[in-house]
Amino acid sequence: MPDRGGGPTGPRMRVGRPSRRVRTLLMTLGVLAVLAMAFVMFAGFWTDWLWYRSVHYSSVFTTTLWTKIGLFFVFGLLMAAAVGFNIWLAHRLRPPLSAMSMEQQSLDRYRMGIAPYKRWLLVGIVSVVGLIAGASASGQWRTWLMWVNGVPFHQKDPQFHLDVSFYAFDLPWYRFLLGFGFAAAVLSLIAAALTHYLYGGLRVTSPGARATAAATGHLSVLLGIFVALKAVAYWLDRYGLAVKSSDFKATGNWTGLRYVDANAYLPAKTILFCIAVICALLFFATLWRRTWQLPVIGFGLMVLSAILIGGLYPAIVQKFQVQPNEQAKEAPYVEKNLKATREAYGIDGTDVKDYPGSSDTKDKAKLRDDADTAASIRLMDPNVVSPTFQQLQQVRNYYGFPSNLDVDRYSKDGKDQDTVIGLRELNLAGIPKNNWINDHFRYTHGYGAVAAKGTTADSEGRPVFTEYNLPSRGDLGEYQQQIYYGEKTTQYSIVGGPQKEIDYSDDSGEKTTSYKGKSGISLSSPVNRAAYAVAFGEPQILYSGAIGEGSRILYNRTPKERVEAVAPWLTIDGDAYPAIVNHKIQWIVDAYTTTNGYPYASRTTLGDTTADSLTAANNQRAVVAQQNQVNYIRNSVKATVDAYTGEVKLYQWDTKDPVLKTWMKAFPNTVKAKDSISPDLMAHLRYPQDLFKVQRELLTRYHVKDAQTFLSGSEVWQVPDDPSNNSGSAVPPYYLSMKLPGETSQAFSLTTTMTPNGRDNLAAFMSVDAEAGTPDYGKISILKLPTGKTVDGPKRVQSQFNSEPSIAESISLLERGDSKVEYGNLLTVPLDGGLLYVEPVYVRGGDLKYPLLRKVLVTYGGSTAFESTLDQALNKVFGAESSTQPPPDENTTKPPTSSNPTVQAALDDAQKAFDQGQEALKKGDWQAYGEAQKDLEDALKKAEDAQNKADKAGSGGSGADKSTDKGSDKSADKKSSPSSSPSSSPSSSPSSDKSS
């Protein structure tokens, strides 16, 4: 149109348009921003690929990746196609002319506005919808892999007689497909309705018909599809009743059908399915009838039926049929729940025996002898003595031990010994100066294991170390001592390049090393360096001169992280533990396969069930999958992580578990066969604590097999609170070599106690054979105490300990000044019909930063003792001395004698001072004890000087120097303690204990 307003007719002014240089700059910046974003995304992908390739589990990465990509594109395209097709169809079915109403005139402006961009608008809408749907579908990769690779359980549910695999593998996938179908139908319906409205197919205020025949037919079909999907949902809901959760006062989180489910909900779902099918057909019929009347009536009837049949009728059945006679009505279904739950949690083979709780044996000498063989009483509590390990065996501040040590078995002279073990891991907080080079290049690893006898303390209450010093030496033999992967090793390190690492320090100074392992990812490539600089947010990785040829980056270094990464389908136990296996330090990790689709089995929340006083007291001991609810669990995999190379190996442990077989089909060649476990590794495998905690929680209710007793709740137990601390959390289970009634020898076991619900007397003692490779491994035994007889539980025993006047007075003496008494694990041991309780008592002195074993509490049959040693306490409780007790360990008595009279005289003085110190310790006279320790130190110094003089006098030249060094080494060992046990390390010399 010509410009009718007059005015200038020359060229128009270009107002506000940027210059070519500015446009070029902006375009360049935009391209750079896009490239930067693309490289960030590439860096995450590339570093993940490099890591999986470095641990030789690239198949896990590729299988997971391609599954996610496949689901993303398939379901993204399906959603985009469904929505896009219905928008296109609604546009194609638009009426040729629109009534000239105010409504349509308003819409005309929008129609004209989007007309030039219709195609791009359609592409944009379907792209957004497809991206969202694809991203949601890719998160279902586990569900897809379990469905496509599922293997049968060969067990059928009692209601529908379908294999359990249908509920565990098939039903979750069908529910996902159904949910996707609902989303596609709803989005298509909304998109089609909006398109019809925009182009006049639907009218709100215009005169005449509210919808064209084409729009009516189109929307009716979409509504019919929605209702048809609802019919499918009703049908699947029938099977879903077998894995439906509901609160039931007798069982907690009940799973499965109850009386009201089988007799009200199940027929209701079938009726609603039929109604929904009829309603869907009525909607489809509008293609010919072109009226909404019948479909709307059908839909209204379906909604009304859902309220009456699906909601009101079951409530009436529950109120008037079940509640008046609940036990009789529910008993058949409770029996199904009992059977399924016991099978699903592996507690169906639990051996429950009656146990008297008191002994009829009158022969005190026999009881005393039996106490020696009933169990290897562990006096070194791994959850208390970590500070002692830290103080005596830390050696350098940049090493540290976990707050909770571990219990394992090691053989010496053909005999198994319960051993407390911990690794001297890297502690960055103790590095002299924190900077990027120190934190990531120089201080890269820990060094050596430290182990101590679990059943013995030395004369000063310290652990008797069987592996000690730096480098570590002792009973564990030769092994690779560098620890590059551990529970406390959470930061990345760059090793193997031009920058040397601190290996360890001894009297001759620091030793350096360079990592020789093949672990980690090479940083020789500039692309790799750039990718890790971006991934870790550390630009120095890109240009630092400390990185060069041979440099490798180590990360994901905790055992739990590594196993979770290479086997994302497993649930990992909260406690990895170290062992010396085939001359290497190996972390052993227990892993579980789980599902929440086992019909009729009650569900449990792993995070709650595996929590105890140890997880509450500190953050060191983790819990399993915090809020992961399951109703089936198996310890199907034993994994190892090499502390030096980081190599991860997965071993099949439960060869019958169908869930593991399914994952092994999905990820072939990732799990090794059970028979490839070496005998050396098998000797250190044990029954996992977290599985035991889950099972004991279930057995508080499911130890009974009678439905009536189960429903009455009269036999419900509870896990008692830990009496040794004030956390208010459950007592942890304890590993202990012990002999159950009727057995002839001790077995490494995991034990716990249970009390009646709401009371503190003992209800049961539970144990499981934890010795892997034995025929009885995994056998759960429960000794059930009489219900009509009161037998003291842990809390009462602890209360009696604290209230006994003589014991309370002794504890008060021990707590004088700044000293603090700490109670160790309260161990329970069945003995000749009764129960023996043993609890070590530690004292942490004012200036002494670590606890030492000072007393042992013992009670049996109402008799209590509080003595300096376990033998003394047992002798007092039983009123008899052991006839089977071997002579005192030569490692914990007198110092060795010497042929040199001067040296011998000094050693005699040392022994005298030592005896005086022990006598003062018994009396609680800390001043006299301190003086005796000073005399002991002086005497040992005299013995050392005398020995050095004798060695020098007997040698000359270079040989004299050699002899002097040898003599110094011997005398240093003598100086460390009046004991010559392996605990006599330089870091545990009497002078360090002077303040105790």
Side-chain angles (χ1 to χ4, degrees):
M1 298 289 293
D3 187 355
R4 299 179 183 270
T9 58
R12 293 183 180 182
M13 298 291 293
R14 295 183 178 182
V15 179
R17 187 173 183 178
S19 66
R20 179 176 297 179
R21 180 179 300 176
V22 172
R23 294 201 305 272
T24 303
L25 178 61
L26 291 174
M27 186 176 296
T28 303
L29 291 175
V31 170
L32 290 176
V34 170
L35 290 176
M37 292 175 62
F39 188 78
V40 169
M41 296 174 63
F42 167 77
F45 166 81
W46 185 243
T47 53
D48 284 347
W49 162 248
L50 291 175
W51 188 87
Y52 276 95
R53 191 175 65 175
S54 73
V55 294
H56 308 295
Y57 282 90
S58 55
S59 63
V60 174
F61 178 81
T62 54
T63 299
T64 305
L65 178 65
W66 286 116
T67 302
K68 289 180 178 179
I69 291 174
L71 292 172
F72 177 87
F73 279 104
V74 168
F75 286 94
L77 289 173
L78 283 175
M79 183 66 77
V83 174
F85 172 76
N86 281 282
I87 292 175
W88 172 83
L89 184 60
H91 180 266
R92 187 177 180 85
L93 295 175
R94 68 190 185 279
L97 295 173
S98 300
M100 293 307 294
S101 63
M102 292 299 296
E103 179 186 23
Q104 294 304 314
Q105 289 178 17
S106 298
L107 291 174
D108 274 339
R109 290 197 294 271
Y110 292 105
R111 286 192 284 264
M112 294 175 63
I114 66 173
Y117 312 106
K118 285 192 294 186
R119 182 171 299 175
W120 291 108
L121 186 61
L122 177 64
V123 171
I125 291 173
V126 299
S127 297
V128 171
V129 170
L131 287 172
I132 295 173
S136 176
S138 66
Q140 297 294 322
W141 64 272
R142 290 181 176 86
T143 308
W144 160 260
L145 288 176
M146 292 183 78
W147 177 69
V148 78
N149 295 287
V151 301
F153 277 66
H154 300 297
Q155 289 177 288
K156 297 181 182 294
D157 78 282
Q159 180 66 41
F160 302 102
H161 308 292
L162 297 174
D163 192 89
V164 173
S165 61
F166 170 80
Y167 302 93
F169 306 141
D170 299 343
L171 190 58
W173 178 249
Y174 297 154
R175 287 193 181 281
F176 163 71
L177 292 178
L178 186 63
F180 178 83
F182 273 124
V186 169
L187 289 175
S188 296
L189 182 63
I190 293 172
L194 289 174
T195 305
H196 279 299
Y197 176 71
L198 181 65
Y199 287 96
L202 290 177
R203 304 181 183 94
V204 177
T205 61
S206 299
R210 298 299 182 188
T212 63
T216 300
H218 184 196
L219 297 180
S220 295
V221 170
L222 291 176
L223 286 169
I225 293 173
F226 178 86
V227 176
L229 289 172
K230 188 61 181 174
V232 175
Y234 282 133
W235 188 257
L236 287 181
D237 284 346
R238 298 170 69 256
Y239 302 110
L241 291 172
V243 288
K244 176 181 73 78
S245 290
S246 59
D247 289 331
F248 191 37
K249 63 182 180 181
T251 63
N253 194 339
W254 170 287
T255 302
L257 285 83
R258 293 159 58 186
Y259 180 89
V260 69
D261 296 314
N263 295 277
Y265 280 112
L266 185 58
K269 296 292 184 183
T270 304
I271 294 172
L272 289 171
F273 164 76
C274 296
I275 293 174
V277 169
I278 294 172
C279 187
L281 293 175
L282 290 176
F283 273 107
F284 293 142
T286 57
L287 284 172
W288 295 275
R289 292 180 57 84
R290 304 295 184 180
T291 176
W292 292 88
Q293 186 175 7
L294 285 178
V296 170
I297 292 174
F299 188 78
L301 288 174
M302 187 181 76
V303 173
L304 183 63
S305 300
I307 296 172
L308 296 177
I309 301 175
L312 185 59
Y313 175 63
I316 294 173
V317 171
Q318 178 69 25
K319 179 70 175 178
F320 295 102
Q321 292 190 33
V322 178
Q323 288 185 6
N325 191 17
E326 187 174 40
Q327 290 202 9
K329 295 291 187 182
E330 299 288 13
Y333 304 96
V334 169
E335 289 178 356
K336 297 174 183 178
N337 176 262
L338 283 168
K339 183 176 183 294
T341 301
R342 292 167 66 87
E343 290 173 349
Y345 289 92
I347 56 177
D348 49 327
T350 301
D351 183 19
V352 181
K353 296 179 179 178
D354 291 330
Y355 190 71
S358 60
S359 176
D360 295 330
T361 304
K362 305 300 182 184
D363 188 348
K364 299 295 185 182
K366 180 180 182 303
L367 282 173
R368 175 65 184 87
D369 290 342
D370 289 346
D372 286 334
T373 59
S376 298
I377 305 296
R378 194 182 63 252
L379 300 179
M380 290 292 107
D381 185 348
N383 308 309
V384 174
V385 299
S386 177
T388 308
F389 274 51
Q390 187 84 359
Q391 188 69 19
L392 301 181
Q393 288 295 322
Q394 180 188 23
V395 184
R396 293 290 181 267
N397 288 336
Y398 48 81
Y399 294 131
F401 293 93
S403 301
N404 304 108
L405 303 176
D406 291 288
V407 178
D408 204 346
R409 298 94 63 216
Y410 287 90
S411 296
K412 185 178 182 181
D413 301 327
K415 295 182 179 179
D416 283 344
Q417 167 71 48
D418 286 3
T419 301
V420 177
I421 186 171
L423 298 188
R424 195 183 285 112
E425 294 191 52
L426 180 66
N427 174 29
L428 282 179
I431 293 177
K433 183 178 181 181
N434 287 99
N435 55 52
W436 191 63
I437 295 295
N438 278 348
D439 291 353
H440 299 287
F441 290 82
R442 285 177 57 78
Y443 296 92
T444 59
H445 60 278
Y447 204 96
V450 176
K453 294 182 179 180
T455 57
T456 309
D458 71 7
S459 57
E460 297 182 27
R462 298 175 302 191
V464 177
F465 292 108
T466 57
E467 187 76 11
Y468 51 93
N469 284 2
L470 186 68
S472 294
R473 60 187 177 89
D475 295 346
L476 301 184
E478 297 292 329
Y479 59 94
Q480 174 63 260
Q481 297 201 15
Q482 286 95 340
I483 302 163
Y484 283 88
Y485 296 88
E487 289 180 303
K488 296 171 70 70
T489 313
T490 56
Q491 79 292 338
Y492 71 89
S493 289
I494 299 176
V495 298
Q499 178 67 57
K500 291 293 184 181
E501 310 161 43
I502 300 295
D503 203 21
Y504 65 90
S505 301
D506 58 17
D507 294 338
S508 61
E510 285 187 347
K511 309 291 184 183
T512 60
T513 189
S514 188
Y515 185 65
K516 301 297 192 297
K518 300 299 182 184
S519 182
I521 296 91
S522 173
L523 294 179
S524 299
S525 163
V527 175
N528 289 2
R529 292 178 68 166
Y532 279 102
V534 171
F536 288 172
E538 182 50 71
Q540 292 187 78
I541 294 177
L542 187 60
Y543 56 78
S544 174
I547 301 175
E549 188 65 30
S551 291
R552 309 179 71 84
I553 187 168
L554 313 180
Y555 62 103
N556 287 352
R557 297 171 70 184
T558 68
K560 188 173 185 292
E561 282 179 326
R562 295 182 79 77
V563 176
E564 280 180 333
V566 303
W569 62 89
L570 293 174
T571 300
I572 309 301
D573 189 273
D575 182 35
Y577 61 98
I580 308 301
V581 179
N582 297 321
H583 308 292
K584 297 178 181 178
I585 298 176
Q586 297 282 347
W587 288 99
I588 299 176
V589 183
D590 286 289
Y592 310 107
T593 49
T594 62
T595 179
N596 64 355
Y598 198 101
Y600 273 99
S602 291
R603 289 191 173 95
T604 185
T605 303
L606 294 182
D608 297 336
T609 310
T610 58
D612 57 30
S613 62
L614 298 182
T615 60
N618 56 67
N619 296 322
Q620 186 65 42
R621 182 66 59 83
V623 295
V624 175
Q626 298 274 353
Q627 298 303 319
N628 186 14
Q629 271 207 342
V630 304
N631 67 354
Y632 172 94
I633 185 170
R634 290 290 186 273
N635 177 213
S636 297
V637 171
K638 300 284 188 181
T640 62
V641 178
D642 192 291
Y644 183 74
T645 65
E647 181 183 20
V648 181
K649 292 182 179 179
L650 307 176
Y651 296 97
Q652 183 182 16
W653 185 247
D654 189 333
T655 57
K656 298 180 180 179
D657 176 32
V659 181
L660 179 61
K661 290 179 180 179
T662 296
W663 287 121
M664 290 175 69
K665 278 183 64 179
F667 296 93
N669 304 318
T670 57
V671 182
K672 298 178 180 294
K674 184 176 182 178
D675 55 17
S676 62
I677 298 176
S678 68
D680 201 7
L681 175 59
M682 183 69 76
H684 295 283
L685 299 181
R686 68 188 191 188
Y687 201 83
Q689 291 185 68
D690 285 336
L691 175 60
F692 185 73
K693 286 189 279 190
V694 171
Q695 291 173 327
R696 76 171 176 180
E697 180 64 32
L698 269 296
L699 283 168
T700 59
R701 303 187 306 276
Y702 287 90
H703 62 278
V704 300
K705 298 181 180 179
D706 176 66
Q708 297 296 333
T709 305
F710 186 82
L711 283 167
S712 71
S714 59
E715 290 290 327
V716 175
W717 299 336
Q718 66 182 14
V719 179
D721 292 342
D722 192 343
S724 64
N725 59 55
N726 297 320
S727 67
S729 300
V731 62
Y734 297 121
Y735 286 106
L736 187 68
S737 290
M738 58 168 292
K739 181 172 62 177
L740 285 175
E743 296 181 350
T744 57
S745 60
Q746 294 182 11
F748 189 66
S749 306
L750 192 53
T751 67
T752 192
T753 53
M754 290 183 277
T755 60
N757 195 25
R759 290 184 289 162
D760 294 327
N761 56 293
L762 195 66
F765 174 84
M766 176 182 170
S767 66
V768 64
D769 191 321
E771 189 91 34
T774 60
D776 288 334
Y777 171 81
K779 178 183 178 182
I780 300 175
S781 299
I782 292 180
L783 301 180
K784 182 182 176 184
L785 281 298
T787 55
K789 182 178 181 181
T790 300
V791 179
D792 291 338
K795 191 172 181 179
R796 284 191 175 186
V797 169
Q798 187 70 53
S799 179
Q800 289 175 7
F801 282 157
N802 296 337
S803 61
E804 187 80 22
S806 59
I807 295 176
E809 183 179 352
S810 299
I811 290 176
S812 297
L813 287 173
L814 292 173
E815 289 182 330
R816 278 197 316 190
D818 295 329
S819 297
K820 179 184 177 183
V821 169
E822 296 182 22
Y823 294 99
N825 36 223
L826 179 57
L827 302 175
T828 308
V829 178
L831 176 63
D832 287 330
L835 290 158
L836 177 70
Y837 286 96
V838 180
E839 184 176 43
V841 178
Y842 304 84
V843 175
R844 194 191 294 249
D847 295 327
L848 195 64
K849 298 180 180 179
Y850 56 95
L852 297 175
L853 180 67
R854 292 305 188 200
K855 294 287 184 178
V856 180
L857 282 163
V858 173
T859 185
Y860 183 83
S863 179
T864 302
F866 185 58
E867 300 296 327
S868 299
T869 67
L870 176 62
D871 289 335
Q872 292 172 358
L874 291 173
N875 291 343
K876 183 175 180 180
V877 163
F878 294 109
E881 294 190 0
S882 173
S883 63
T884 61
Q885 192 68 22
D889 189 343
E890 63 177 2
N891 289 336
T892 59
T893 56
K894 298 180 180 180
T897 59
S898 172
S899 59
N900 185 309
T902 306
V903 175
Q904 185 58 52
L907 291 176
D908 291 341
D909 290 341
Q911 182 62 49
K912 182 179 178 181
F914 173 72
D915 294 338
Q916 290 174 347
Q918 292 302 298
E919 188 65 28
L921 186 61
K922 291 179 182 179
K923 296 177 179 178
D925 189 343
W926 296 105
Q927 182 177 357
Y929 178 75
E931 293 173 355
Q933 292 291 3
K934 180 65 169 64
D935 294 341
L936 175 62
E937 182 180 359
D938 293 341
L940 288 173
K941 184 65 170 65
K942 290 178 182 178
E944 179 185 0
D945 293 340
Q947 185 65 50
N948 287 341
K949 291 178 181 178
D951 291 336
K952 289 179 181 179
S955 302
S958 60
D961 293 339
K962 185 176 181 180
S963 177
T964 300
D965 292 341
K966 184 177 180 182
S968 298
D969 289 342
K970 287 182 177 179
S971 60
D973 285 345
K974 292 171 186 173
K975 178 182 177 183
S976 64
S977 172
S979 160
S980 60
S981 70
S983 64
S984 305
S985 61
S987 59
S988 59
S989 64
S991 60
S992 67
D993 296 336
K994 196 172 177 180
S995 59
S996 68

